[in-house]
Amino acid sequence: MKKHIVFLTISVGMFSGCTQLNPEEKQLQQFLTDHLAQVEPLQKQSSLAWWAAATSGKAEAYDQQSKLELQIRQVYSNADEYAYLDQLKKSGQVKDLLLARQLHQLHRAYLANQMDKDLMKQMVELDTEIQKKFSTFRGEIDGKKVSDNDIREILKTETDSVKRQKAWQAAKQVAPAVAADVIRIVKLRNQVARKLGFDNYHTFSLTLSEMDPKELDAIFAELDQLTRVPFARVKADADRRLAKRYNIRPDQMMPWHYHDPFFQESPQIYDLDLDRYYKNQDVKKLSRRFYAGIGLPVDAVLARSDLYEREGKNPHAFCTDIDRQGDVRILCNLKNNQQWMDTILHELGHAVYDFYHDPEVPYLLREPAHAFSTEAVAMFFGRLSRNACWMQQMMNLTDARRAEIETVSRNFSQLQQLVFARWTLVMYNFEKQLYADPDQDLNALWWQMVEKYQLVKKPAGRNTPDWAAKIHFAAAPCYYHNYMLGELLASQLHHHIVHEVLKQDSLQTVSYVNQPKAGKFLRQTIFADGNVYPWNEMIKRATGETLSPKYFADEFVN
Ligand SMILES: [Zn+2]
């Protein structure tokens, strides 16, 4: 299917075609034609197999998908082709902007697959082993095995500190069982990275995702500085409220007194029940009407999507761009409540980013500028599900209702965002040091970070690898920071659109309902260009400055 809206913010003809290409550029163009003839159909088939697997749960579809993924990886592991691209990139002969950008993308994709075969095999085996331990391990309370859900339930509702402590300890019991393997896989990853000329895997991985470790360090350092004092303030308030429930003093609060094992989410201390507003609504209809009102209709996406619960179907939610030609689909398991309102707005945020790429942009660049930039757009829209003005306009609520939602929603979002920001500071800084020196005292390092950023007390004398209980270090290495960068960019976009596009004064009173200018801004400055510009250049072109944590602080600190 062809996309029906074309917004050319870059003139493709301006860069290629009109000017005479040099021999190296012509050769690259030929390479691209051959390469895409091979890869484009494979990627489409793989996406379709993934969709079939997620919607049916059938084993054949999963097998089919992993076979196709392997075939794609084989294309990109070709060492001769990598050598050709590498020398071409170093020669600086490709000057045409779009060709140079495609060369850059191809080079990254090949580089990611140039790992030593033997190390690769060891890594895959170890990874499978670790995943298996994570999925089969059950912690115990008083000798009885408990599930993650049991633990979460206790942490949410139990008021007896001793029972809470046992549940928290049960959540950490997986750590000693996997820690040695996680350190082994970290070292293997480092070996892989060093063979390719990088300091360690963290640096390699950031470079592959077009991030400069120094740039990221600076963003997280500023985030730390901007959120330290306000976090201490909201945490003190949360501690007081929680301590009262447990009948302890606030200074007796321990890690098991929060509502999840890592204190990565806001404990439920505010009575925010938005479900009652959504239960008589249709979240699909609301989202369709909202996106149409901002000039980014999603009917074509919804028509191909799979939205409701079914036996065998993936119980979560995601968005997938099947062919980069307008076949964009979301998977949800909708119910009419706030969480699914958030989720469908979120997934459709990913979807409009994919759907409204300019079809004239070359295939390799017809994707979001970065994993976190599409996350940011999705979060930007998902947040509306708790926005009092948005809810008022979409559901015709009274002013009194709006004011009521506004107060609780504001307190809740502030605590939630600050808690998450401080948690990601632990994740980012710990992971960086984990790869820099996996032989250091990681157990001590983890608690130093937790005490420093989250202001959570280390239990006296505790010396266990609590960090290893976080599956992300093993399963999704060097990725977690993207969630935070997404939140930062969502706030930066909100700030920019409210003040510069809609020309309004207050961040709090904008609903975005029936504001096609907002949709047009996103489409023209972000979606259309896809990955033509590196992420920070894209952000600068769209908002006038590079990614900054100060808008996140503006939105959630005061
Ligand atoms: Zn997302």
Side-chain angles (χ1 to χ4, degrees), residues 268-453:
Q268 292 169 358
I269 53 170
Y270 298 110
D271 192 17
L272 180 72
D273 174 22
L274 298 182
D275 288 352
R276 63 197 166 114
Y277 297 102
Y278 289 109
K279 74 171 187 243
N280 295 319
Q281 297 283 338
D282 179 334
V283 296
K284 176 188 170 185
K285 281 190 187 151
L286 286 174
S287 56
R288 169 193 276 150
R289 181 153 60 85
F290 169 68
Y291 277 100
I294 53 167
L296 300 171
V298 290
D299 304 76
V301 174
L302 289 172
R304 293 163 182 269
S305 295
D306 192 320
L307 298 176
Y308 298 98
E309 277 183 304
R310 210 175 44 248
E311 184 74 28
K313 177 181 158 179
N314 179 319
H316 307 291
F318 63 80
C319 170
T320 179
D321 185 350
I322 300 283
D323 58 2
R324 304 192 190 185
Q325 296 203 49
D327 184 351
V328 177
R329 309 173 185 188
I330 65 169
L331 180 142
C332 285
N333 289 273
L334 294 179
K335 289 192 189 313
N336 293 318
N337 60 29
Q338 186 268 324
Q339 189 213 325
W340 282 105
M341 185 76 254
D342 181 336
T343 306
I344 189 170
L345 287 169
H346 179 108
E347 298 308 334
L348 286 172
H350 286 300
V352 288
Y353 201 151
D354 293 336
F355 188 78
Y356 291 103
H357 292 317
D358 185 335
E360 299 291 320
V361 165
Y363 178 87
L364 287 178
L365 309 180
R366 222 181 297 144
E367 59 174 6
H370 199 278
F372 90 81
S373 71
T374 180
E375 216 47 67
V377 169
M379 287 164 169
F380 171 89
F381 286 115
R383 285 177 184 179
L384 294 173
S385 66
R386 282 195 300 266
N387 175 318
C389 295
W390 188 85
M391 291 177 69
Q392 178 179 34
Q393 293 214 27
M394 292 302 294
M395 300 186 276
N396 291 319
L397 305 179
T398 61
D399 286 347
R401 278 267 180 274
R402 192 204 63 219
E404 202 178 285
I405 297 169
E406 211 160 65
T407 321
V408 242
S409 191
R410 174 128 196 87
N411 288 334
F412 173 84
S413 302
Q414 186 174 47
L415 180 61
Q416 158 129 317
Q417 293 285 1
L418 287 171
V419 163
F420 186 67
R422 301 307 289 182
W423 160 246
T424 62
L425 281 161
V426 173
M427 289 296 285
Y428 176 70
N429 288 296
F430 179 84
E431 191 163 38
K432 191 180 139 185
Q433 295 214 31
L434 168 68
Y435 284 95
D437 178 11
D439 288 318
Q440 65 183 306
D441 185 347
L442 296 168
N443 303 358
L445 177 70
W446 176 253
W447 280 103
Q448 276 163 28
M449 301 268 174
V450 169
E451 291 195 316
K452 176 177 174 188
Y453 295 116

Side-chain angles (χ1 to χ4, degrees), residues 127-154:
D127 184 49
T128 314
E129 188 60 29
I130 297 172
Q131 305 281 353
K132 209 166 81 193
K133 281 189 188 162
F134 263 106
S135 58
T136 53
F137 189 92
R138 292 287 175 274
E140 290 181 6
I141 299 179
D142 296 330
K144 262 178 68 186
K145 288 200 187 306
V146 285
S147 72
D148 284 358
N149 280 334
D150 298 334
I151 292 171
R152 292 186 77 88
E153 190 54 34
I154 295 171

Side-chain angles (χ1 to χ4, degrees), residues 77-222:
S77 62
N78 186 312
D80 295 336
E81 291 181 354
Y82 173 67
Y84 160 70
L85 295 166
D86 193 47
Q87 64 76 26
L88 187 59
K89 190 162 179 271
K90 285 177 182 147
S91 78
Q93 286 305 306
V94 177
K95 307 212 189 294
D96 175 277
L97 291 183
L98 282 176
L99 278 176
R101 185 67 186 154
Q102 290 174 88
L103 172 60
H104 182 75
Q105 295 303 94
L106 268 184
H107 184 266
R108 286 198 304 147
Y110 274 85
L111 175 59
N113 288 282
Q114 298 308 303
M115 299 179 187
D116 181 287
K117 295 261 176 338
D118 184 48
L119 287 174
M120 185 80 184
K121 190 166 165 276
Q122 291 180 49
M123 269 183 1
V124 171
E125 283 167 6
L126 189 51
D127 184 49
T128 314
E129 188 60 29
I130 297 172
Q131 305 281 353
K132 209 166 81 193
K133 281 189 188 162
F134 263 106
S135 58
T136 53
F137 189 92
R138 292 287 175 274
E140 290 181 6
I141 299 179
D142 296 330
K144 262 178 68 186
K145 288 200 187 306
V146 285
S147 72
D148 284 358
N149 280 334
D150 298 334
I151 292 171
R152 292 186 77 88
E153 190 54 34
I154 295 171
L155 292 179
K156 287 226 156 72
T157 56
E158 182 56 61
T159 54
D160 180 313
S161 291
V162 175
K163 288 183 184 162
R164 297 189 64 88
Q165 182 173 2
K166 285 181 180 172
W168 181 83
Q169 280 165 342
K172 307 290 172 180
Q173 281 163 6
V174 67
V178 295
D181 283 348
V182 178
I183 294 174
R184 269 176 62 209
I185 206 165
V186 163
K187 289 181 175 175
L188 279 173
R189 286 172 183 157
N190 275 349
Q191 264 182 282
V192 162
R194 288 189 186 120
K195 282 206 166 184
L196 295 169
F198 292 84
D199 295 352
N200 61 50
Y201 186 80
H202 191 254
T203 319
F204 171 60
S205 181
L206 290 185
T207 310
L208 270 188
S209 74
E210 283 199 301
M211 284 183 164
D212 174 357
K214 285 201 192 78
E215 195 175 23
L216 217 49
D217 284 349
I219 290 172
F220 276 97
E222 195 183 346

Side-chain angles (χ1 to χ4, degrees), residues 234-284:
V234 294
K235 179 177 174 285
D237 178 52
D239 282 354
R240 265 193 303 276
R241 290 164 186 257
L242 290 169
K244 214 170 142 192
R245 281 188 203 173
Y246 309 137
N247 217 358
I248 57 174
R249 292 191 318 270
D251 65 355
Q252 292 174 311
M253 287 288 288
M254 294 303 289
W256 44 86
H257 286 121
Y258 299 96
H259 286 185
D260 68 273
F262 291 99
F263 190 30
Q264 64 183 77
E265 290 161 23
S266 155
Q268 292 169 358
I269 53 170
Y270 298 110
D271 192 17
L272 180 72
D273 174 22
L274 298 182
D275 288 352
R276 63 197 166 114
Y277 297 102
Y278 289 109
K279 74 171 187 243
N280 295 319
Q281 297 283 338
D282 179 334
V283 296
K284 176 188 170 185

